[in-house]
C-alpha cells in the first residue's frame, strides 16, 4: 500500500524535462530537518583555487595506496589545519569523520577507493568558536567544492595522509575513553528498529541496516490504530567516538545534512541536541535484497500505461510512462538499496515538479524476472508496484 505524504509535490503535465522544482529540497548544509536534530552551520565561500583543487595521483616511490585494513578505528591526523585533528572510521561501512572533540565534527560517506577520502557529500556540525581549524573543516564540505584526502603507507610502513595533493604527513593512533551508558559500536544497531516518541502524537522510527538507516516521521491517530507517514530520510550511519552519526542522502523533504545523537545502552533513550526522547526497541526482520538483483530494465502496465524502469549499475535510474505515443511520466536520478528498501532520489522529472524522493519495500523478487515495489510515490501517475523483466528474442 502506498503512503500519503503531507508535504508531497504534484506531477506536472508539461512534456519537457526539467530539474525538480519547489517540491525538491536542496542538498546543502543549510537544509532544515522536520524531525529533531542538530543544525549544521553553513561555511564561508571557497576560493576558486581551493574549490578546483584535487588529490594528486602521484604516490611516492616505495609507497602504496592505503586500504581500509590499514586504518584504525580512531586516529590522529598530525598537523592538519595547524593542529592535530582526529579521524574516526567506526565499523568501516563507508562513513568517515573528522573531529575537534566537543567543538566540531565532520562526517562524509566515501568508498575509500585507491585510499582516497572524498568530502563532496560531507557535512559538518560545529559550535560558534572562531577557530581557523573549524573554518578549514567547513571549507572541505562547502557546496560545489572538490576536496579529497589521499592515504598511503610509505616505504617505512608508516600510514600518511595528503590533503588536496599537498605534503604527506603522518597518521597516528589514538584511543577514546568509552562511556558505558551509551551504545558504542555501530554494528550493535544493525537489524534493529527504534521507535521514538517525539511529541504528543508524533513518532520517529529508525530502521538500521548494516551501515545504512531509514528514518520515518509519523503521526499516530487518537485511537492508536493507524500511523500517517509525514516524511522520511535515509542514508549512512555509524557510531564514532560514542556519537551516532546519520548522514541522509535520500529524503522526502528538507533535512539536516548531519544528525548527531547518542543511544542509551538499554536502547530506551535517544539523545539529540541534549534532548532525551523515549524509544522502544524491536528486531528488524527483512529479506536482504542485493542491488545486483535489481539492476537492469523492467516494465509494467499499471494504470493503462506502458511503464519502463532502468536501474543502472552506476546507481542512476530512469522511469517513464507512455500512453500510446504520449509521454505521461518521466523521472531521473540516483538509487540504492538499504536492506530491502529501494530508494530513489529524483534529480529531474517531467514538468519540473515532482516528489523529491521515493522509498519502498522490495518483495517477491527474482533477479532478472520480477519484483514488487510497495512505494511512497505520491505523484500522479505514480510509480507502479509490480515489475517484470522484458522479453527479448
Amino acid at each position: 500500500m502506498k503512503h500519503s505524504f503531507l508535504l508531497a509535490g504534484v506531477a506536472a503535465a508539461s512534456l519537457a524535462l526539467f530539474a525538480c522544482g519547489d517540491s525538491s529540497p536542496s542538498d546543502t548544509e543549510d537544509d532544515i530537518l522536520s524531525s529533531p536534530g542538530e543544525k549544521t552551520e553553513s561555511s564561508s565561500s571557497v576560493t576558486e583555487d581551493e574549490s578546483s583543487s584535487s588529490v594528486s595521483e602521484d604516490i611516492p616511490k616505495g609507497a602504496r595506496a592505503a586500504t581500509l585494513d590499514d586504518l584504525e578505528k580512531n586516529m590522529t591526523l598530525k598537523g592538519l589545519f595547524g593542529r592535530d585533528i582526529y579521524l574516526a572510521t567506526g565499523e568501516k561501512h563507508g562513513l568517515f569523520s573528522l573531529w575537534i572533540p566537543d567543538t566540531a565534527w565532520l562526517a562524509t560517506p566515501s568508498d575509500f577507493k585507491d585510499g582516497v577520502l572524498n568530502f563532496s557529500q560531507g557535512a559538518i556540525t560545529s559550535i560558534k568558536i572562531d577557530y581557523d581549524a573549524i573554518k578549514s573543516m567547513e571549507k572541505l564540505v562547502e557546496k560545489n567544492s572538490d576536496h579529497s584526502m589521499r592515504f598511503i603507507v610509505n616505504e617505512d610502513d608508516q600510514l600518511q595522509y595528503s590533503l588536496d595533493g599537498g605534503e604527506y604527513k603522518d597518521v597516528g593512533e589514538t584511543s577514546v575513553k568509552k562511556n558505558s551508558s551509551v551504545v558504542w559500536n555501530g554494528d550493535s544497531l544493525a537489524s534493529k528498529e527504534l521507535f521514538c516518541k517525539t511529541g504528543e502524537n508524533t513518532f520517529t522510527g529508525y530502521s538500521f541496516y548494516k551501515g545504512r538507516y531509514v528514518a520515518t516521521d509519523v503521526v499516530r491517530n487518537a485511537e492508536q490504530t493507524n500511523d500517517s507517514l509525514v516524511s522520511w530520510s535515509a542514508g549512512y550511519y555509524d557510531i564514532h567516538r560514542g556519537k551516532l552519526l546519520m548522514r541522509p542522502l535520500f529524503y522526502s523533504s528538507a533535512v539536516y545534512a548531519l544528525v548527531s545523537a547518542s543511544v542509551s545502552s538499554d536502547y530506551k533513550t535517544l539523545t539529540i541536541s541534549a534532548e532525551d526522547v523515549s524509544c522502544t526497541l524491536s528486531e528488524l526482520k527483512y529479506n536482504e535484497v542485493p542491488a545486483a538483483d535489481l539492476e537492469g530494465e523492467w516494465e509494467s502496465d499499471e494504470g493503462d500505461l506502458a511503464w519502463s524502469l532502468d536501474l543502472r549499475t552506476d546507481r542512476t535510474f530512469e522511469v517513464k510512462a507512455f500512453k500510446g505515443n504520449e509521454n505521461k511520466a518521466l523521472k531521473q536520478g540516483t538509487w540504492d538499496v538499504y536492506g530491502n528498501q529501494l530508494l530513489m532520489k529524483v534529480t529531474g522529472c517531467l514538468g519540473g515538479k515532482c516528489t523529491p524522493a521515493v522509498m519502498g519495500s522490495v518483495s517477491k523478487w527474482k533477479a532478472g524476472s520480477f519484483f514488487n515495489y510497495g512505494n511512497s510515490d505520491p505523484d500522479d501517475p505514480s510509480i507502479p508496484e509490480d515489475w517484470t523483466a522484458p522479453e527479448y528474442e
Side-chain angles (χ1 to χ4, degrees), residues 56-121:
S56 169
E57 295 296 326
D58 296 330
I59 296 179
K61 185 177 180 180
R64 62 172 175 82
T67 67
L68 285 175
D69 290 339
D70 296 311
L71 305 182
E72 300 294 332
K73 196 167 188 176
N74 295 289
M75 295 165 285
T76 304
L77 302 180
K78 298 182 178 180
L80 180 61
F81 307 136
R83 58 176 297 159
D84 289 350
I85 302 291
Y86 295 106
L87 170 67
T89 62
E91 302 313 308
K92 299 184 181 181
H93 296 313
L95 189 66
F96 300 79
S97 60
L98 301 182
W99 294 77
I100 303 175
D102 303 319
T103 302
W105 47 97
L106 178 160
T108 186
S110 179
D111 59 9
F112 203 64
K113 183 179 179 181
D114 299 323
V116 175
L117 179 60
N118 297 301
F119 295 98
S120 60
Q121 295 190 91

Side-chain angles (χ1 to χ4, degrees), residues 3-9 229-232 252-253 355 357 359 376-378:
H3 299 286
S4 175
F5 278 79
L6 301 184
L7 303 177
L229 181 62
V230 178
S231 62
W232 62 269
S252 64
S253 59
T355 189
M359 173 187 67
S376 63
D377 187 7

Side-chain angles (χ1 to χ4, degrees), residues 60-282:
K61 185 177 180 180
R64 62 172 175 82
T67 67
L68 285 175
D69 290 339
D70 296 311
L71 305 182
E72 300 294 332
K73 196 167 188 176
N74 295 289
M75 295 165 285
T76 304
L77 302 180
K78 298 182 178 180
L80 180 61
F81 307 136
R83 58 176 297 159
D84 289 350
I85 302 291
Y86 295 106
L87 170 67
T89 62
E91 302 313 308
K92 299 184 181 181
H93 296 313
L95 189 66
F96 300 79
S97 60
L98 301 182
W99 294 77
I100 303 175
D102 303 319
T103 302
W105 47 97
L106 178 160
T108 186
S110 179
D111 59 9
F112 203 64
K113 183 179 179 181
D114 299 323
V116 175
L117 179 60
N118 297 301
F119 295 98
S120 60
Q121 295 190 91
I124 188 171
T125 291
S126 64
I127 61 177
K128 293 290 187 179
I129 296 179
D130 190 24
Y131 283 173
D132 289 338
I134 294 179
K135 294 178 182 178
S136 297
M137 287 175 64
E138 288 175 342
K139 288 182 179 181
L140 291 180
V141 295
E142 184 76 20
K143 185 177 181 181
N144 299 323
S145 66
D146 186 23
H147 296 283
S148 300
M149 188 177 286
R150 179 181 288 279
F151 290 82
I152 64 167
V153 177
N154 69 14
E155 58 185 357
D156 297 322
D157 207 31
Q158 170 65 47
L159 181 64
Q160 295 185 312
Y161 77 94
S162 169
L163 178 62
D164 294 333
E167 175 189 359
Y168 279 98
K169 300 178 181 179
D170 288 349
V171 177
E173 296 184 21
T174 190
S175 59
V176 180
K177 185 178 180 181
K178 288 186 177 181
N179 180 348
S180 60
S181 66
V182 299
V183 177
W184 202 262
N185 186 306
D187 282 350
S188 298
L189 288 173
S191 297
K192 289 183 172 60
E193 286 185 301
L194 292 179
F195 194 65
C196 304
K197 185 176 177 61
T198 56
E200 184 175 349
N201 61 344
T202 59
F203 299 82
T204 299
Y206 299 92
S207 299
F208 294 100
Y209 304 91
K210 192 173 183 179
R212 309 292 183 265
Y213 77 94
V214 174
T216 54
D217 299 317
V218 300
V219 174
R220 177 164 291 180
N221 63 15
E223 292 76 22
Q224 296 189 358
T225 58
N226 188 41
D227 293 340
S228 298
L229 181 62
V230 178
S231 62
W232 62 269
S233 62
Y236 284 59
Y237 90 89
D238 208 341
I239 294 179
H240 294 180
R241 302 178 66 91
K243 276 194 178 293
L244 169 62
L245 303 178
M246 291 180 281
R247 171 58 172 138
L249 298 180
F250 300 86
Y251 36 84
S252 64
S253 59
V255 298
Y256 278 113
L258 178 61
V259 177
S260 303
S262 62
V263 182
S264 64
S265 55
D266 60 6
Y267 298 95
K268 292 182 179 180
T269 305
L270 182 70
T271 303
I272 304 180
S273 297
E275 179 182 354
D276 294 340
V277 294
S278 60
C279 304
T280 57
L281 172 69
S282 61

Side-chain angles (χ1 to χ4, degrees), residues 327-372:
N327 192 188
K328 291 292 188 178
L330 174 59
K331 293 177 182 177
Q332 298 174 332
T334 59
W335 70 280
D336 206 345
V337 177
Y338 297 168
N340 65 337
Q341 299 295 307
L342 173 57
L343 305 154
M344 299 181 183
K345 181 175 182 177
V346 181
T347 57
C349 62
L350 191 66
K353 287 193 175 183
C354 56
T355 189
V358 179
M359 173 187 67
S361 298
V362 174
S363 61
K364 303 176 183 177
W365 90 94
K366 182 178 179 181
S369 297
F370 54 81
F371 72 92
N372 179 271

